[in-house]
């Protein structure tokens, strides 16, 4: 039953996303989001299984993973950017277009509510207090899965000499030796990064490393560790004292969270 619903919604998502794909030679940008969605779904399924989350939470998390970036397609079509600050909140667009396109038709109301809630909350800097424990769990799975895939997307992107698509680079300065000290100071104080303070590519790398503080599940920390994303990112950052101290901080934190699991 739940598997059928996920396949049904996955087919609807593919048909929906496919409509944007041939638009004005910018298929690359849409293809990125389609592939991202598939990987986020796979990661969400791993987290739900390993954390032994209940069936309703698992179903809602799988559907929310599939639909979390539905708004990226109309966002890019209209604004030619994935920068929310320069266009629109893509999570809100995801909710609007999921409803407009009837992507959740046939899904029970309680599940549908959790899906829409988690989709809407997936890009918030931090989760608000939620009275519904199941919704909170679904939102946490989607946020962790999204972050884990973005690590990989960013690493692949940082390693390109000439990024295929400038919009994906978020318009930051690529100077291998420089970063913004305030960004690093905020992260050392365990504050979540603010995209508005990003000037250099290295700021973005530092902020992505700091997402560790915001991962919710032990399985997510295990995946982060096993995939070696942090090692790869630190290898591409300047090795000065401040960065090395941040590195020690991060690895200590990760080790504690892995041991606790
Ligand atoms: Fe998103």
């Amino acid at each position: 039953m739940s598997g059928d619903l996920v396949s049904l919604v996955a087919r609807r998502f593919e048909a929906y996303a496919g409509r944007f794909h041939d638009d004005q030679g910018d298929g690359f940008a849409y293809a990125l989001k389609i592939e991202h969605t598939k990987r986020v779904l796979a990661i969400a399924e791993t987290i739900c299984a390993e954390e032994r989350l209940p069936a309703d939470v698992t179903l809602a998390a799988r559907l929310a993973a599939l639909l979390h970036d539905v708004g990226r397609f109309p966002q890019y079509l209209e604004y030619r950017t994935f920068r929310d600050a320069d266009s629109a909140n893509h999570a809100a667009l995801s909710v609007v277009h999921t409803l407009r396109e009837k992507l959740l038709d046939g899904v029970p109301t309680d599940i549908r509510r959790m899906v829409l809630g988690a989709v809407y909350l997936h890009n918030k800097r931090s989760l608000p207090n939620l009275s519904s424990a199941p919704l909170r769990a679904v939102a946490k799975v989607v946020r962790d899965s999204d972050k884990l895939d973005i690590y990989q997307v960013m690493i692949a992107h940082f390693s390109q000499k000439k990024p295929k698509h400038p919009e994906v680079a978020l318009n930051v300065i690529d100077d291998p030796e420089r970063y913004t000290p305030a960004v690093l100071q905020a992260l050392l104080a365990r504050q979540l990064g603010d995209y508005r303070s990003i000037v250099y590519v290295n700021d973005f790398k530092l902020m992505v490393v700091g997402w560790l503080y915001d991962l919710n599940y032990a399985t997510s920390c295990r995946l982060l560790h096993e995939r070696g994303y942090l090692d790869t990112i630190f290898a591409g950052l300047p090795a000065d004292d401040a960065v090395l101290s941040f590195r020690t901080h991060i690895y200590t934190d990760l080790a504690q969270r892995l041991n606790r699991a």
Side-chain angles (χ1 to χ4, degrees):
M1 163 71 181
S2 64
D4 291 350
L5 271 181
V6 175
S7 330
L8 173 69
V9 176
R11 283 198 300 277
R12 287 178 185 157
F13 169 76
E14 275 173 32
Y16 162 82
R19 296 209 313 260
F20 293 85
H21 199 267
D22 297 325
D23 153 67
Q24 294 180 27
D26 262 348
F28 170 79
Y30 300 113
L32 267 182
K33 293 300 172 193
I34 295 171
E35 293 308 313
H36 164 68
T37 295
K38 289 181 186 165
R39 292 188 306 259
V40 170
L41 173 59
I43 297 167
E45 287 172 343
T46 301
I47 295 174
C48 289
E50 274 191 38
E51 300 287 333
R52 298 175 192 273
L53 298 182
D56 60 338
V57 168
T58 298
L59 172 58
R62 292 171 77 194
L63 295 174
L66 260 173
L67 301 176
H68 77 287
D69 268 354
V70 154
R72 287 299 195 187
F73 299 86
Q75 177 186 41
Y76 197 83
L77 183 67
E78 184 169 351
Y79 302 101
R80 300 282 139 186
T81 181
F82 290 132
R83 281 174 68 101
D84 284 15
D86 295 339
S87 54
N89 175 357
H90 77 276
L93 286 178
S94 295
V95 170
V96 168
H97 287 264
T98 291
L99 293 171
R100 191 179 289 169
E101 300 285 333
K102 304 189 190 320
L103 300 179
L104 285 172
D105 268 21
V107 173
T109 309
D110 57 332
I111 302 288
R112 194 192 303 214
R113 278 203 195 109
M114 283 194 270
V115 173
L116 293 172
V119 167
Y120 182 72
L121 293 167
H122 91 268
N123 68 341
K124 295 267 173 263
R125 278 186 75 197
S126 54
L127 269 184
N129 283 329
L130 299 167
S131 55
S132 159
L135 169 59
R136 190 165 179 83
V138 175
K140 284 177 169 180
V141 172
V142 176
R143 288 165 65 88
D144 279 15
S145 308
D146 194 25
K147 287 194 179 74
L148 280 164
D149 190 60
I150 295 173
Y151 275 105
Q152 184 246 294
V153 169
M154 287 302 155
I155 288 168
H157 189 74
F158 295 148
S159 64
Q160 290 173 10
K161 280 259 176 302
K162 273 194 188 148
K164 279 189 218 155
H165 199 289
E167 273 308 333
V168 186
L170 298 167
N171 300 327
V172 285
I173 302 168
D174 192 3
D175 180 336
E177 298 305 320
R178 302 190 69 176
Y179 63 87
T180 306
V183 168
L184 185 54
Q185 286 313 315
L187 290 167
L188 279 166
R190 300 181 71 96
Q191 290 160 1
L192 287 178
D194 183 343
Y195 287 94
R196 286 168 297 187
S197 41
I198 289 185
V199 177
Y200 301 104
V201 171
N202 284 340
D203 296 342
F204 202 84
K205 292 181 189 173
L206 289 166
M207 198 171 287
V208 169
V209 169
W211 285 348
L212 168 67
Y213 300 143
D214 198 36
L215 288 181
N216 297 293
Y217 290 105
T219 302
S220 313
C221 294
R222 180 185 70 72
L223 290 170
L224 178 68
H225 176 63
E226 283 178 9
R227 295 177 177 193
Y229 295 149
L230 297 180
D231 295 336
T232 309
I233 297 175
F234 274 115
L237 280 163
D240 65 18
D241 287 352
V243 173
L244 290 178
S245 133
F246 180 48
R247 185 189 164 105
T248 306
H249 242 74
I250 285 287
Y251 279 102
T252 306
D253 199 271
L254 181 61
Q256 280 170 354
R257 297 187 63 181
L258 290 171
N259 286 337
R260 241 184 277 141

